[in-house]
Amino acid sequence: MKPNENVMNHLSDELLSERLDGLLDVAAQERVDAHLAECADCAARYAGLRQVQATLRALRQVEDIPDFRLNAQGRPRRLRLRPESSRPSRGYVFARMASVAVLVGGVLLLFVAIITGAGSLTLTSHESAANYSNAAPASQSYPGCTTMHCPAVGTPLPGNNDGAVKTPTMVPTPVGGQSNTTFAPLKPPAPFPSPLAEFGLGMLLALGGLIAFLGFGRRERST
Amino acid sequence: MTPTQPPASPNDESALQAVIARARSGDVEAFNVLVERFQRAAFVVALRMLGDRDLAEDVTQDAVLSAFRHIKQFRGGSFRVWLLRIVTNQCLDYWRAQQRRPSVSLDVLLAPATEETGGEAARNDAALIDPAWDPTMLAERHELQAFIERALLALPEDQRLAVVLCDVEGLSYDEIAEVTRTNVGTVKSRLARGRARLRDLLLRHPELLPRAYRHDSRGDQPRVPRKPE
Ligand SMILES: [Zn+2]
């Protein structure tokens, strides 16, 4: 075998790759083949490419091709193999985010309801009721009190009391000689969503959000 | 020898066009005829691109479903090319969603190539001289295939795609350019770089090379039949 003569002009991998696919014109192919016959380095690189290509062609053989046909409704017949959807749909992501938002909103509302509800409950208790009536008559500042708040107080009372116990600093309990102004802004004007309504709505939202969140999770896993 | 599909007879081609027309009007049965015909190509490309069978099945199914929903966007040409483009996009979407590539670490592949084996690989280069061997006889070696299968995943995606579409699936340069929305020049260069990289990885593993290649058995060349030209 002759030693390499024109080492300067080795064949590029791109040229060898095209030679491999037989896509060179006659003149170029003759030139390449002449070089391959002379140059051990390029011949070795070319032989390696042929080995790679032959092996890749064998990778076309795959056993057990699954059936990807659709059913009459245009849906896949197969079940997904990977339980976690690798790419959840935008609608799914949005629904999940929305349910989380509702859940958080509900919990926040519950929290607010518990705080304000506890505050107003302390006010309606014996000693503070009188104290409060000094600043503003209950009949005026609590227009909704008799209609929606007070009658139902019996049921959520324990929960509200718990909240009041847990957050004593947030709800200043009015004591005898203390000024009313310290807690006046907190509860007397109890705006339309009364603490009870807030509590109910918060409960509803939190529950709804939770159910939606869990429901979406399950649905995504099953598809 | 350009790797291409066997040419379809005119009859076959016109029958195919009729099926495509029915599928375009929403006929699931007609669409399923297309699926049956091209699902092997779609699945093999997904499998070789992703390197994971379960994942490739889901991705192929997603691609088939997407093809059905968007079949009105198919504007003639090769249905196989169109479907493979969807499969390719699904693979890219998957990688994007994962934010990571299923790449085999180059370190792992190159690990044995220490100084001494590197020198051996260089000597092995010299042993790869004889162009008379028939690679198809030797490519059945299972370890060799398993190695190339793994090494494919170490390629950059564009090179891997070019190599899979050309050498595994047998598409022409033009078809690959269409699938990957690029030009033939780019396809050539990706193909060349991908193949060369696979070869260089392979050369660092002389134990995987067919025996006729090895340094110590060059005297045994007659065992490799000369390929008739
Ligand atoms: Zn050379």
Side-chain angles (χ1 to χ4, degrees), chain A residues 122-132 173-176:
Chain A
T122 29
L123 281 177
T124 50
S125 64
H126 311 296
E127 62 272 20
S128 56
N131 206 351
Y132 182 67
T173 316
V175 220

Side-chain angles (χ1 to χ4, degrees), chain A residues 22-65:
Chain A
L23 293 179
L24 296 173
D25 60 51
V26 179
Q29 181 162 327
E30 278 175 0
R31 218 168 49 241
V32 166
D33 288 354
H35 183 100
L36 288 176
E38 298 286 317
C39 175
D41 286 353
C42 289
R45 284 164 50 229
Y46 184 60
L49 288 181
R50 288 181 68 189
Q51 177 67 71
V52 164
Q53 186 181 57
T55 311
L56 284 168
R57 283 183 179 161
L59 291 184
R60 193 180 194 211
Q61 302 306 318
V62 174
E63 306 279 305
D64 304 325
I65 304 287

Side-chain angles (χ1 to χ4, degrees), chain B residues 74-212:
Chain B
F74 174 64
R75 310 225 182 276
S78 162
F79 188 83
R80 179 172 68 142
V81 164
W82 186 70
L83 182 62
L84 288 180
R85 189 157 74 203
I86 297 176
V87 170
T88 302
N89 286 337
Q90 294 280 347
C91 291
L92 295 176
D93 282 357
Y94 169 78
W95 283 319
R96 235 170 265 140
Q98 291 294 300
Q99 294 291 317
R100 65 179 172 80
R101 314 286 150 96
S103 302
V104 172
S105 159
L106 272 181
D107 293 340
V108 172
L109 283 167
L110 301 179
T114 51
E115 237 109 277
E116 38 189 341
T117 51
E120 198 180 304
R123 263 181 284 120
N124 240 81
D125 279 357
L128 286 171
I129 296 168
D130 182 14
W133 53 279
D134 180 357
T136 56
M137 300 271 305
L138 305 164
E140 290 164 13
R141 290 184 48 130
H142 186 258
E143 314 93 89
L144 190 55
Q145 282 183 28
F147 178 85
I148 291 290
E149 214 178 312
R150 236 157 39 86
L152 259 181
L153 300 179
L155 293 184
E157 283 142 28
D158 53 352
Q159 294 176 21
R160 190 189 320 163
L161 188 57
V163 165
V164 166
L165 292 175
C166 182
D167 288 338
V168 179
E169 196 41 45
L171 267 65
S172 70
Y173 288 6
D174 287 326
E175 289 173 321
I176 299 169
E178 207 181 326
V179 169
T180 57
R181 289 181 191 274
T182 181
N183 56 58
V184 171
T186 305
V187 170
K188 277 184 195 169
S189 123
R190 287 175 180 171
L191 202 51
R193 280 181 290 143
R195 286 166 170 171
R197 193 151 175 188
L198 291 176
R199 174 200 61 204
D200 295 343
L201 289 171
L202 191 57
L203 286 180
R204 291 166 192 266
H205 290 265
E207 76 280 2
L208 288 169
L209 287 169
R211 192 176 299 170

